[in-house]
Amino acid sequence: MNIKDLYYFQRLISTQSYTQTAADFHVSQPTISQAIKRLERHFQVTLFFRQAKTKALVLTPSGQQLLLAANDIINNWQHVNESISHLRQHTLRFGIEPSVSEHYLPALTKPIIEQDLLNSVHTVEMGANQLVKQVLAGQLDLAISGNLDQTLDERLAVTPLRPFKFRILANPEHPLAKSEHPTFAEALKSPFVLLNATYLNKLVFRQLAEQLSIEPQVLFESDSSTLIKGLVKENLALGFISDITAPSDDKDDDLVEIPFDDVQVPSVHINLIRRAHQFPIGLVKQVIDIIEKTFAADNAEQKS
């Protein structure tokens, strides 16, 4: 069976026209007809029939199954071509989430330079959802992204690098900072300032509020953790932030961390993601090793 036959079949069902499909591929109409016949002979089924009134091509159950498989095969074939092209050119497209980049990119860049890979690794920053989409679409080879564990696609190969820890930040004079048994429900009586939708903090915050069926008061959203901490210092609101965007070695004496245990915090990790069918060889394997060693060293340092 020729993979071109699957391309012809996929396009024919999309265009509903032998003439248009032939024109799209710059071949004759009989070429498309012969491809369909080959597929039907191979599987010994009828793939579709033409509806009498509308002349539409209607897939049989076998045709529906083949179309789903054809979509996957064609997507994977395109990704394989792209991957081999990048291997031939010795290039790798690497995406990283901004909050992770701010904390880890300097440590990742050092071994990339030492191994003379800087000109081969093309790095871009974007939000977690966009990173996942671009990896799935084959536009990125690797990505480091913060993800809620249950939101990841089964078409991805996922390596957890480290968990997120979330906390409430408050001015020492805020009533919650003086409470003997502070709770998240109590905290939601006050306004909050949050990192915007580029970060997972907002999504996690919303999920925690939903557990308590409380509509939170969000005073302000920003992509700057420095601005968030500045507003908290002024005692204008509470902050909700992760240990990635506010590392433990960056303690601010003017702010206090408020513990809470009345809600179940969802499992969130920084993950290394790639397409499941992509084999970690060559440059991809080199960069994966650098990433895993960098995070392993950081995790060991945090525990010590």
Side-chain angles (χ1 to χ4, degrees), residues 49-64:
F49 60 89
R50 191 177 291 279
Q51 199 171 56
K53 289 185 179 180
T54 65
K55 304 299 182 182
L57 301 179
V58 179
L59 288 168
T60 64
S62 296
Q64 292 173 358

Side-chain angles (χ1 to χ4, degrees), residues 118-231:
L118 191 60
N119 291 331
S120 301
V121 180
H122 305 300
T123 306
V124 295
E125 278 190 342
M126 60 186 69
N129 291 337
Q130 194 62 26
L131 285 172
V132 169
K133 289 178 182 177
Q134 293 217 4
V135 171
L136 287 171
Q139 296 167 330
L140 291 174
D141 299 299
L142 295 173
I144 298 178
S145 173
N147 306 97
L148 288 168
D149 290 354
Q150 65 267 31
T151 64
L152 291 170
D153 194 292
E154 62 183 8
R155 293 171 293 173
L156 296 172
V158 179
T159 304
L161 297 171
R162 64 154 289 180
F164 276 86
K165 296 177 182 178
F166 295 94
R167 53 186 176 163
I168 295 172
L169 294 181
N171 182 293
E173 297 304 314
H174 191 283
L176 194 70
K178 301 177 180 180
S179 173
E180 291 186 10
H181 301 289
T183 63
F184 199 78
E186 186 181 355
L188 288 176
K189 295 176 183 177
S190 299
F192 270 81
V193 285
L194 304 173
L195 289 168
N196 62 27
T198 304
Y199 300 86
L200 279 171
N201 299 50
K202 180 179 178 181
L203 179 58
V204 172
F205 177 80
R206 290 286 179 182
Q207 287 197 8
L208 297 180
E210 286 174 6
Q211 285 184 36
L212 298 166
S213 300
I214 298 174
E215 182 62 32
Q217 307 171 58
V218 179
L219 179 68
F220 186 72
E221 295 180 15
S222 172
D223 61 359
S224 169
S225 58
T226 301
L227 180 56
I228 296 295
K229 290 191 287 185
L231 292 168

Side-chain angles (χ1 to χ4, degrees), residues 8-57:
Y8 295 154
F9 171 65
Q10 182 193 57
R11 186 67 60 84
L12 176 61
I13 300 306
S14 175
T15 64
Q16 294 284 295
S17 167
Y18 281 86
T19 303
Q20 182 61 54
T21 300
D24 289 346
F25 286 102
H26 306 290
V27 297
S28 66
Q29 188 171 322
T31 299
I32 306 301
S33 299
Q34 291 163 11
I36 301 304
K37 289 177 182 177
R38 279 195 298 271
L39 289 171
E40 291 185 327
R41 282 199 303 270
H42 179 83
F43 292 107
Q44 300 181 9
V45 295
T46 298
L47 295 174
F48 55 80
F49 60 89
R50 191 177 291 279
Q51 199 171 56
K53 289 185 179 180
T54 65
K55 304 299 182 182
L57 301 179

